[in-house]
Amino acid sequence: MVNYRHAFHAGNFADVLKHALLVRLVRAFQRKDKGFLFVDTHAGRGRYDLSVAGAGDTRERLPEWPDGIGRLWGRADAPAELMDFLEVVRSFDRSRGNLTVGPRFYPGSPRLVRAVARPQDRLDLWESQPGECAALRAEFEGERRVSVHEADGAGAMRACLPPPERRALVLVDPPYEAPGEWRAAAAALAEAMGRFPSGTYAVWYPLSERAEPVGLLESIRGLGAPSLAAELVVDPASPKMRGCGVAVVNPPWKFDGEARAILGYLGSAFSRGSGAQGSVRWMST
């Protein structure tokens, strides 16, 4: 059983990085009029109430959003590539009735993509935990262009690819709690590339002693497709999670430059110690 509950982590620095880059990927897909399919393999519940983010099943925990979206909420100096994401989040927060100065309602990746999706774009959301999936279904009840599945996200590759639209953006975002979970992510990605090699695939991963991404990144490099790694280190001395990254296979045109603008800003905004930084590097071209 996986103990991960995203509510504790909602809106933290890792979410901000992942979601800011996700918005840029969606915007890149929308440069063409033709619709596309967005697949989320670990969708969660869609949205999170940050006011109860610390409430757990058995004990209280400190929420992580104050050192994430909380650090950016009142700032107006972010680059345009990041400000786009911030405006989407702020608009979502207001639309759910928050009238306070700080953030309260934070959109997970499904709700974030739905907020910027066009009528011709489609969402296919996968979540294996029953409680989270039930909340996800309720969040998107009646949404004709959104499908929700209570199943292991690894099955999404076989079920969804290749899509009728012949255009797909896939987010692979496991919690990396179970042993060998990165191997499962690598295997799912290899299957996806075999079925639909022209798709764009974004894979989130932590930077920590317990879950080093070396094997995952080597497997991505071995796919033979253009790929880059966008990494954010917020606390180089941390014995736990010092940062995180997003690997993108088949990144859209000019995405690397947009990612560098976002990472450069977040490296400074989220710094918790000497050596904090954001970087973008090509793994294969």
Side-chain angles (χ1 to χ4, degrees):
M1 292 295 292
V2 175
N3 296 318
Y4 184 86
R5 294 292 182 272
H6 189 74
F8 297 131
H9 312 284
N12 68 2
F13 75 87
D15 259 4
V16 171
L17 172 65
K18 174 179 60 183
H19 292 153
L21 294 178
L22 182 59
V23 169
R24 296 322 311 155
L25 290 170
V26 171
R27 297 300 195 197
F29 267 72
Q30 292 175 339
R31 291 176 190 141
K32 295 183 179 180
D33 289 337
K34 187 176 181 180
F36 69 95
L37 172 66
F38 169 69
V39 179
D40 195 335
T41 64
H42 297 75
R45 60 176 43 231
R47 64 164 160 162
Y48 301 90
D49 185 346
L50 301 181
S51 69
V52 295
D57 295 335
T58 58
R59 63 188 177 93
E60 295 290 314
R61 291 180 54 175
L62 288 176
E64 298 176 1
W65 67 264
D67 278 332
I69 192 65
R71 289 198 182 192
L72 305 181
W73 197 249
R75 299 182 67 161
D77 61 343
E81 295 86 352
L82 182 60
M83 191 60 73
D84 185 16
F85 154 76
L86 290 175
E87 285 303 315
V88 173
V89 176
R90 290 167 180 161
S91 178
F92 177 84
D93 183 62
R94 290 191 298 269
S95 73
R96 293 305 183 270
N98 182 27
L99 301 178
T100 65
V101 176
R104 177 177 175 183
F105 298 107
Y106 186 83
S109 48
R111 182 48 75 184
L112 191 70
V113 173
R114 185 65 187 90
V116 298
R118 307 165 301 179
Q120 64 267 43
D121 301 329
R122 191 162 57 90
L123 283 71
D124 213 274
L125 311 176
W126 294 65
E127 174 54 52
S128 63
Q129 295 189 35
E132 296 295 283
C133 189
L136 187 66
R137 289 188 190 280
E139 181 72 19
F140 289 100
E141 185 177 4
E143 297 260 7
R144 188 176 61 86
R145 302 287 289 177
V146 181
S147 300
V148 178
H149 310 271
E150 185 182 323
D152 187 337
M157 308 310 183
R158 188 172 294 107
C160 301
L161 304 176
E165 297 91 342
R166 308 303 299 182
R167 306 178 70 218
L169 169 60
V170 180
L171 176 63
V172 181
D173 180 25
Y176 297 100
E177 279 199 340
E181 201 162 9
W182 71 264
R183 294 184 181 87
L189 188 57
E191 180 180 10
M193 284 292 291
R195 298 182 64 84
F196 192 55
S198 63
T200 295
Y201 304 92
V203 186
W204 180 88
Y205 56 89
L207 296 172
S208 68
E209 292 182 0
R210 185 173 64 85
E212 284 296 339
V214 176
L216 175 62
L217 297 183
E218 287 180 350
S219 69
I220 291 174
R221 191 179 296 112
L223 292 172
S227 60
L228 58 78
E231 293 188 347
L232 177 64
V233 176
V234 299
D235 187 358
S238 174
K240 296 182 179 180
M241 186 169 161
R242 64 182 183 276
C244 65
V246 177
V248 182
V249 180
N250 292 326
W253 183 55
K254 291 187 176 181
F255 175 76
D256 59 333
E258 295 179 334
R260 287 189 175 92
I262 291 171
L263 269 293
Y265 183 88
L266 294 183
S268 174
F270 290 156
S271 174
R272 300 179 191 171
S274 177
Q277 64 174 335
S279 63
V280 178
R281 71 180 188 279
W282 283 95
M283 296 189 292
S284 60
T285 57

